[in-house]
Amino acid sequence: MRTPDRPTIADVAAAAGVGVGTVSRVLNGGVNVRESTRLNVLEVIDRLGYRPSHLAAALSRGTPRTVAILVPHLTRPSTVARLAGALTVLDDQGYDTIVCNVDTPEQRDHHLAALTARHRADGVIAVSLRLAGQHLAAFRRGGVPLVTVDTAAPGLPQTIIDNIAGGRLATAHLLGLGHRRIGFVGDAVARGTEHGLGFTSSRRRLLGYQRELAAAGLDFDPELVRLGPHGPAVAAELAGQLLRLPDPPTAIFAASDTQAMGVLSAAEQRGFPVPGRLSVIGFDDIESAALLNLSTVRQPLEYSGAEGARRLCALLRGLRVRPVRQLLKLRIVRRGSSAVPGPARSGGGAASSAAVRAGRGPDEHNRSRSLAFPRVSDIRLGGHLACRMDWVA
């Protein structure tokens, strides 16, 4: 008996010699089915590779549908912000949400296989994860709607930013203040780890940095670039290397706000007043950036997650999503960590005036920069618990 590439419930019923209603009762755990019949139907389902549509079953029962969100490194502030935006929209639309944390390529592939082969969700949002051709093909074969946030994917609805343009914005901000010796602290992608997840944002921000220097007629100096694993502690060490140079930079562009925190720590340890002797700019504008009075490139993190969720909801309603490539705007947020180069300033300089413009008093501006990030168990977003999740058969 020939079956189509994607067998239907009718194909299963015919091959098992039972009615469609019997197959449906087996799939839904009905009790009025003989054990021998149930085993026969399950064997045929496995042999034909039939994948029941959770969406159709949910619609027929009038129960909430399910969306899965795949995110890398769940505790990173930028990931938390995007999740918050997505979960708010999905909760409002009546969807149940599964959050799948990905730290390695193996975890990514495990979750993707579960979502496509077993049809565990009606739709999927992939955040900051580059998907290979075989991943996209599996979603097409499974008929599972997919959108991406913070990563490009051919032919799929995608909500992204231009990281090269963002790198140019940050560098242009420092150049406009008069800095000419500008350092860069970003991510080094190690093979077999983050390399496998396809992260490119730091590398593209570095490219923007190089292009903006060239546009200003300045030579690129590789001695002013330091790359390492993502995180504030590593960034502090890298920034310390720059500040120990015989001719240290007067400004540093960090590829993320998290890394900019490390730069600020290194400046304090090395006795480089900010912004008097060193200006610092980050990228993202996470919540902590305002508390630290950190200049940064703002990308709409929460809005990007919300837009990804809205676009997936449109796909699930059978609507066409336009534009396929949704490019979000970036802008500079100038705070007290960046100023014109010059001798070290005492209190009341650029940082203090920036704090006043931001509606904060001097005491708040001088508050300690040490921050504690939440554990995974502490994170609740939109009423949903975000946690590591393993699929079970």
Side-chain angles (χ1 to χ4, degrees):
M1 173 181 176
R2 182 182 178 276
T3 61
D5 292 339
R6 187 180 179 189
T8 66
I9 192 171
D11 297 319
V12 173
V18 298
V20 170
T22 300
V23 177
S24 179
R25 285 193 294 275
V26 171
L27 292 171
N28 290 299
V31 295
N32 297 322
V33 180
R34 287 198 300 256
E35 181 64 12
S36 59
T37 301
R38 187 182 71 83
L39 293 175
N40 178 43
V41 169
L42 290 176
E43 187 278 326
V44 171
I45 287 173
D46 184 65
R47 175 161 49 85
L48 297 183
Y50 171 68
R51 292 187 292 275
S53 172
H54 176 74
L55 174 59
L59 288 173
S60 67
R61 295 192 301 268
T63 58
R65 291 167 289 169
T66 301
V67 166
I69 307 178
L70 275 73
V71 297
H73 311 310
L74 182 58
T75 56
R76 288 187 181 178
S78 58
T79 298
V80 172
R82 287 193 172 100
L83 269 177
L87 290 172
T88 297
V89 171
L90 294 170
D91 188 61
D92 183 65
Q93 295 293 319
Y95 287 90
D96 289 335
T97 309
I98 301 168
V99 178
C100 304
N101 180 59
V102 172
D103 286 321
T104 66
E106 292 75 21
Q107 287 179 343
R108 176 201 59 201
D109 294 344
H110 174 64
H111 288 310
L112 290 174
L115 291 169
T116 53
R118 302 174 194 171
H119 213 119
R120 293 293 183 91
D122 304 311
V124 175
I125 304 172
V127 178
S128 304
L129 288 170
R130 186 176 179 183
L131 303 181
Q134 65 266 26
H135 298 138
L136 302 178
F139 275 94
R140 285 193 295 269
R141 288 194 302 270
V144 182
L146 171 67
V147 304
T148 65
V149 174
D150 191 42
T151 188
L156 290 181
Q158 53 201 259
T159 300
I160 59 175
I161 62 168
D162 186 336
N163 282 294
I164 295 177
R168 297 194 67 160
L169 268 178
T171 309
H173 169 70
L174 296 173
L175 290 169
L177 291 172
H179 296 277
R180 293 297 178 267
R181 191 160 174 78
I182 301 171
F184 180 90
V185 171
D187 297 345
V189 180
R191 290 190 177 276
T193 55
E194 289 189 319
H195 178 80
L197 293 178
F199 297 148
T200 62
S201 59
S202 181
R203 177 169 55 83
R204 294 179 71 80
R205 292 166 193 175
L206 173 59
L207 181 57
Y209 158 87
Q210 294 173 298
R211 289 183 180 178
E212 194 61 27
L213 290 178
L218 299 176
D219 292 332
F220 169 66
D221 184 355
E223 185 181 46
L224 293 179
V225 174
R226 293 290 188 275
L227 306 177
H230 188 90
V234 172
E237 172 57 31
L238 298 175
Q241 296 173 15
L242 292 175
L243 299 180
R244 288 192 295 270
L245 292 173
D247 184 14
T250 63
I252 294 178
F253 167 30
S256 71
D257 290 343
T258 302
Q259 288 161 308
M261 294 176 192
V263 176
L264 292 173
S265 176
E268 183 175 2
Q269 292 172 9
R270 299 291 302 176
F272 278 67
V274 174
R277 195 173 171 192
L278 180 72
S279 285
V280 180
I281 188 169
F283 201 111
D284 288 332
D285 199 26
I286 61 177
E287 185 177 359
S288 301
L291 297 175
L292 296 175
N293 210 15
L294 174 68
S295 296
T296 188
V297 178
R298 174 180 292 170
Q299 64 164 315
L301 293 168
E302 189 167 337
Y303 180 77
S304 69
E307 280 297 287
R310 290 188 191 101
R311 287 154 73 82
L312 179 61
C313 290
L315 287 181
L316 291 171
R317 292 195 299 270
L319 303 177
R320 296 183 66 184
V321 174
R322 293 291 183 270
V324 172
R325 183 176 183 267
Q326 182 184 31
L327 187 64
L328 302 183
K329 294 182 179 180
L330 303 170
R331 72 179 181 89
I332 290 289
V333 179
R334 181 177 176 180
R335 298 192 178 101
S337 68
S338 60
V340 297
R345 296 174 178 83
S346 59
S352 297
S353 61
V356 172
R357 289 195 300 272
R360 299 188 302 276
D363 290 341
E364 185 170 353
H365 168 66
N366 292 322
R367 185 178 299 164
S368 170
R369 290 191 172 103
S370 62
L371 297 173
F373 290 99
R375 300 184 304 260
V376 173
S377 59
D378 294 329
I379 299 175
R380 286 190 175 271
L381 301 164
H384 301 261
L385 177 63
C387 59
R388 299 177 188 270
M389 178 165 184
D390 289 319
W391 295 101
V392 293

